[in-house]
Amino acid sequence: MKIIVLLKRVPDSETKILINQEGTGIREDGVKFIINTYDEYAIEEGLLMKEKAGGDSKVTVVCMGSDEATEVIRTALAMGADDAVHIADATLSNPGPFTTASIMAKVIGDEGFDIIFCGKQAIDDDMAQVHCILAEMLDIPQVSVATAFELSDDAAKATVSRRIEGGDEKVETSLPVIVSCDKGLNDPRYASLPGIMKAKKKEIKKKSLADLGFSEVPGGGRSRVLKWLPLPKGGECRIVEAEETPDAVRELVRLLREEAKVI
Amino acid sequence: MDTCQYGGGEIDFGLSEEQKVLRHSIRDFAEKEIRPRAQELDEKEEFSIELTKKMAGLGLFGIFVPEEYGGSGMGYLSYIIAVEELARIDGSQAATVAAGNSLGTGPIYYYGGEDQKKEWLPRLCSGEILASFGLTEPDAGSDAGASKTTAELKAGEWVINGSKIFITNSTSEMAAVCTVQCITGKRPDGKKEISCILVPNGTPGFEAKKMTGKMMWRASDTGELYFDNCRVPEENLIGSRGEGFHQMLETLDNGRLAIAAMGLGGAQGAFELALRYSREREQFGAKICTFQANAFKLADMATSIEAARNLLYKACRLKDAGQPFSKEAAMSKLYCSETMGRVVDEAVQIFGGYGLMREYDIERFYRDYKLLTIGEGTSEVQRIVISRLLGCYDE
Ligand SMILES: Cc1cc2nc3c(=O)[nH]c(=O)nc-3n(C[C@H](O)[C@H](O)[C@H](O)COP(=O)(O)OP(=O)(O)OC[C@H]3O[C@@H](n4cnc5c(N)ncnc54)[C@H](O)[C@@H]3O)c2cc1C
Ligand SMILES: Cc1cc2nc3c(=O)[nH]c(=O)nc-3n(C[C@H](O)[C@H](O)[C@H](O)COP(=O)(O)OP(=O)(O)OC[C@H]3O[C@@H](n4cnc5c(N)ncnc54)[C@H](O)[C@@H]3O)c2cc1C
């Protein structure tokens, strides 16, 4: 069984994000980067499926990102993935989801696959689109926000649970398939020390857009990020208190009219 | 955690990818697996087999031992980073790992014969068992040469008599063997001949008794060992007769780096707790970190931690490069442990009355620090070592 796991390097959710002066990205100095949290579930599920399927099963990590992303790729390899493709190209800054999916589709098509696992969304831009577009481009079924995954004994089908409002939805899908993973799917393992040493010898194939046969950034004209802006500073909060609620409402209306001048 | 400024890029300058991946993995593990249990284990004074096995599962007990003996074959700096990250969350668990590697595995790996290595190292590295290092005696602490435990060779067996005290990892059900420092005779110059002998736990005449009532490292295993005509085969001698004192000194050089890492990691952890608390706590209508008295404390903490890290990493790099590092190891142990002392003192101060309560982790850091200026050579002994290496007492 050939399993692909999509991986993204993102700033730690606890890191304070500062936008650069031009508004084209974040200030990276002093920022801690991690594997996108949901991608950890994808890696773990890939490894579990590999262990279950046995034989010459293989987990290949596909990551698009700057040179520094080798660290998160190496972490996935240390957890147990077999090899990786790292797409790094200086012309790729802030690629939109269509661009990312176009490039990933090419890589994955070249690699071949039975299952693709990825996170349900990246915790930095929260687009949650790449896997949907990818499913369309590869013309395969897609199951999103998985909280349980079970492969049939003949490895031709899978049953996937999705947590929905008030219950679980069970979906049956044929393979090949792309599954986006949610918290609760599994407990991602930690990279062990022997795993870290083994990962040093595993192959990371580094590819530029030209290596993949693109003469320009694919899908570049569809949508692009214009600018990143910091959140407006939150205004001051005032609590209107009175013994009786109607009095408080009256006072609130007065303030909105006379002080804030919004009504 | 608000660790970005101090836990991210700056910490990692010059580190290899291996070391960065290692740091992240151990940090993640410590935060998710150790942090939720640390307070309870400390309170109950409980050595957790379960947590120790989990740490073993990550490969934390064979860090610098080569793969052929079941270890990971990493360098000393990697080892020290792992201990630092454990100590950032809990001193006791860091102690179990530091003693397991430096004192348990170290002497067998560095000085043991091929048969001894094959017998013990794979199970030690996998964390199936733990080894301990028995040097300190009731009447021989700083003055390790004053030890009285004897081993007499009789009919192909060492007959050991005496006792050891404060021995880490020596009594739990995982404790399998102790490297015991014994007097094995007299040298031609009349001085004691000191040798190290492997004594498996459970050997008749060897009793290991758990010590309780510790102020610090309460979740680590400390024992008192008694040897009463305890017999082990002659081939349990590590290296040759008379090499024990030298082996012990070198083991302590290495061990000092790990104790220093505990000081560094503990200081880092305490600092982060104080920084976070001071950003949340309000008095006089403002966050207490905005009062310069507190802000300057935090600035001083961060500065001394950076300095401590630079000193310790330098000592590790010297060792990894095969250069002399005894002086830097002693300096690191002295400086990192004393840095943690200053940091925990100010950190509790920033917590005010809450810092004195068990419910707050900082209270445990405050206690755990104190071992670091005492174990594996007190601060005074480090100053003796350093000043001797500076040539102060040369004729
Ligand atoms: C929790 C714990 C774990 C330990 N684990 C181990 C272990 O695994 N294996 C092991 O062998 N030992 C272990 N030890 C023992 C530890 O190494 C000793 O406690 C330490 O070396 C100090 O010895 P001591 O306690 O006898 O103090 P002493 O040597 O009696 O020292 C008392 C005081 O006198 C000072 N002093 C002594 N001599 C001088 C001098 N010449 N000049 C100036 N000041 C001096 C000391 O600095 C200290 O302040 C452990 C101890 C503890 C508490
Ligand atoms: C065992 C115990 C017994 C006690 N007994 C009593 C009692 O009987 N009755 C009673 O009323 N209280 C009692 N207290 C409470 C004690 O007086 C308070 O803990 C103490 O006043 C500190 O307040 P705090 O803990 O809220 O710390 P905080 O006021 O939150 O202070 C936290 C830190 O910020 C610093 N800080 C705060 N404001 C400033 C500033 N403006 N400039 C610079 N630094 C500042 C403080 O010095 C401290 O380092 C007791 C506390 C304990 C632990």
Side-chain angles (χ1 to χ4, degrees):
Chain A
M1 170 149 318
K2 169 95 187 185
I3 298 155
I4 301 270
V5 174
L6 308 186
L7 191 67
K8 187 175 183 186
R9 171 182 183 260
V10 297
D12 190 348
S13 53
E14 322 242 353
T15 292
K16 192 165 173 210
I17 300 294
L18 296 173
I19 292 168
N20 66 19
Q21 266 187 331
E22 304 77 42
T24 54
I26 63 164
R27 283 174 49 183
E28 298 206 352
D29 43 308
V31 172
K32 183 179 156 201
F33 284 88
I34 57 169
I35 294 181
N36 177 41
T37 319
Y38 297 109
D39 296 352
E40 287 193 22
Y41 303 112
I43 299 167
E44 179 64 30
E45 202 60 23
L47 297 174
L48 290 173
M49 285 312 118
K50 172 188 154 154
E51 284 157 14
K52 181 165 183 225
D56 54 358
S57 295
K58 187 174 159 195
V59 176
T60 298
V61 168
V62 178
C63 176
M64 198 167 104
S66 58
D67 289 344
E68 288 77 31
T70 50
E71 192 185 326
V72 296
I73 297 173
R74 203 65 78 180
T75 302
L77 296 175
M79 286 169 75
D82 297 282
D83 58 8
V85 181
H86 180 186
I87 308 136
D89 198 303
T91 60
L92 281 171
S93 73
N94 288 335
F98 193 86
T99 299
T100 305
S102 304
I103 297 165
M104 292 252 175
K106 177 74 173 70
V107 172
I108 294 167
D110 290 351
E111 289 283 320
F113 66 96
D114 296 295
I115 311 177
I116 305 170
F117 289 110
C118 61
K120 69 166 181 174
Q121 70 197 79
I123 61 165
D124 54 354
D125 61 20
D126 287 333
M127 290 276 195
Q129 287 190 42
V130 170
H131 49 279
C132 312
I133 303 172
L134 205 47
E136 197 59 31
M137 287 177 166
L138 296 169
D139 194 21
I140 52 169
Q142 177 222 12
V143 186
S144 60
V145 201
T147 51
F149 182 91
E150 210 180 320
L151 201 61
S152 67
D153 288 336
D154 62 357
K157 282 187 302 203
T159 317
V160 189
S161 293
R162 310 178 60 247
R163 180 61 43 86
I164 55 172
E165 197 62 43
D168 273 334
E169 179 176 84
K170 262 190 189 274
V171 179
E172 190 184 82
T173 173
S174 60
L175 261 48
V177 62
I178 179 163
V179 179
S180 80
C181 305
D182 197 5
K183 189 176 176 192
L185 178 62
N186 52 44
D187 286 322
R189 65 196 70 185
Y190 303 97
S192 72
L193 277 64
I196 291 169
M197 294 309 274
K198 280 195 200 108
K200 288 165 101 171
K201 293 174 210 131
K202 292 179 180 171
E203 189 190 12
I204 301 178
K205 281 179 267 181
K206 208 158 178 180
K207 305 260 180 176
S208 66
L209 287 187
D211 294 336
L212 293 167
F214 293 105
S215 52
E216 57 180 13
V217 177
R222 295 214 170 201
S223 72
R224 65 196 171 90
V225 176
L226 291 179
K227 201 170 168 63
W228 289 4
L229 307 161
L231 282 179
K233 258 209 152 72
E236 224 173 282
C237 174
R238 240 161 89 184
I239 295 182
V240 182
E241 276 173 306
E243 270 187 22
E244 300 291 333
T245 310
D247 294 339
V249 173
R250 211 164 292 127
E251 174 63 4
L252 177 64
V253 172
R254 189 189 67 79
L255 289 171
L256 289 173
R257 181 169 290 144
E258 291 174 16
E259 276 193 25
K261 298 194 167 71
V262 291
I263 53 173
Chain B
M1 277 302 303
D2 230 329
T3 60
C4 51
Q5 292 89 334
Y6 302 96
E10 292 169 36
I11 246 182
D12 286 340
F13 74 97
L15 296 189
S16 68
E17 205 169 70
E18 162 198 322
Q19 288 154 348
K20 291 182 195 171
V21 172
L22 174 76
R23 184 191 293 286
H24 281 176
S25 184
I26 305 301
R27 176 169 294 201
D28 205 24
F29 172 84
E31 286 179 353
K32 292 190 184 133
E33 310 288 336
I34 299 177
R35 196 206 296 280
R37 305 217 45 209
Q39 219 169 66
E40 178 206 340
L41 293 172
D42 175 78
E43 177 95 34
K44 292 189 182 156
E45 204 167 7
E46 179 185 329
F47 173 78
S48 168
I49 297 279
E50 187 205 338
L51 214 44
T52 307
K53 293 278 182 195
K54 273 192 186 169
M55 295 195 288
L58 282 190
L60 283 170
F61 287 98
I63 305 181
F64 53 75
V65 175
E67 280 172 43
E68 54 176 313
Y69 299 114
S72 293
M74 288 184 167
Y76 236 75
L77 182 52
S78 296
Y79 165 37
I80 258 39
I81 288 170
V83 174
E84 178 189 346
E85 288 302 325
L86 295 170
R88 178 177 163 270
I89 300 297
D90 183 46
S92 289
Q93 305 310 320
T96 300
V97 167
N101 283 276
S102 298
L103 306 181
T105 307
I108 301 176
Y109 168 57
Y110 287 115
Y111 316 112
E114 198 51 38
D115 289 347
Q116 290 167 338
K117 290 190 203 185
K118 286 208 175 101
E119 180 179 0
W120 296 108
L121 292 178
R123 282 183 294 153
L124 286 168
C125 292
S126 71
E128 185 187 327
I129 56 170
L130 288 170
S132 59
F133 184 64
L135 167 67
T136 306
E137 296 185 7
D139 293 328
S142 300
D143 185 10
S147 57
K148 292 181 190 149
T149 298
T150 56
E152 231 184 309
L153 196 56
K154 280 186 189 161
E157 287 185 323
W158 293 106
V159 182
I160 305 172
N161 281 290
S163 69
K164 299 285 173 182
I165 192 166
F166 299 131
I167 309 306
T168 307
N169 288 341
S170 65
T171 79
S172 79
E173 63 186 66
M174 288 175 73
V177 64
C178 182
T179 300
V180 184
Q181 210 201 42
C182 307
I183 301 164
T184 47
K186 259 202 171 85
R187 299 193 318 198
D189 64 4
K191 289 192 178 154
K192 291 180 205 167
E193 178 194 84
I194 292 175
S195 312
C196 287
I197 299 171
L198 286 165
V199 185
N201 287 59
T203 307
F206 172 20
E207 192 197 345
K209 211 169 130 232
K210 187 175 163 84
M211 296 172 78
T212 55
K214 292 204 299 276
M215 174 176 91
M216 31 39 65
W217 287 12
R218 287 168 57 82
S220 88
D221 176 31
T222 311
E224 230 169 325
L225 313 180
Y226 302 94
F227 303 94
D228 180 12
N229 285 318
C230 172
R231 289 165 183 273
V232 294
E234 185 176 357
E235 55 271 19
N236 282 22
L237 178 74
I238 295 186
S240 313
R241 283 177 80 142
E243 287 178 353
F245 199 71
H246 186 69
Q247 292 167 355
M248 178 269 287
L249 288 179
E250 276 190 8
T251 299
L252 291 182
D253 274 349
N254 296 338
R256 276 169 196 151
L257 295 172
I259 296 279
M262 297 188 58
L264 174 61
Q268 176 76 34
F271 161 72
E272 288 175 24
L273 290 173
L275 179 63
R276 176 197 272 211
Y277 182 81
S278 69
R279 279 176 169 171
E280 288 167 359
R281 173 76 170 167
E282 288 189 15
Q283 288 289 282
F284 302 100
K287 308 262 187 252
I288 60 169
C289 66
T290 62
F291 305 136
Q292 205 174 53
N294 294 333
F296 277 18
K297 284 189 176 114
L298 291 159
D300 285 344
M301 288 182 196
T303 305
S304 55
I305 290 169
E306 277 304 312
R309 182 170 288 118
N310 276 283
L311 178 56
L312 174 57
Y313 286 13
K314 176 181 170 181
C316 293
R317 288 193 161 119
L318 287 172
K319 175 165 170 64
D320 281 334
Q323 292 179 30
F325 69 99
S326 297
K327 186 174 73 193
E328 287 77 7
M331 287 175 166
S332 301
K333 201 259 178 193
L334 174 64
Y335 189 72
C336 292
S337 59
E338 296 199 343
T339 292
M340 183 176 177
R342 287 187 297 273
V343 169
V344 293
D345 189 38
E346 294 292 35
V348 168
Q349 188 66 21
I350 284 175
F351 271 79
Y354 303 93
L356 304 172
M357 308 305 291
R358 283 266 165 94
E359 199 187 326
Y360 288 78
D361 284 326
I362 196 64
E363 184 265 354
R364 192 177 71 254
F365 279 76
Y366 187 82
R367 286 183 283 111
D368 275 342
Y369 133 75
K370 197 55 213 170
L371 180 280
L372 304 180
T373 59
I374 294 176
E376 290 191 45
T378 63
S379 284
E380 291 73 23
V381 168
Q382 304 310 317
R383 288 185 168 94
I384 294 175
V385 171
I386 297 163
S387 54
R388 201 176 273 153
L389 289 166
L390 292 176
C392 293
Y393 315 114
D394 292 355
E395 293 284 299

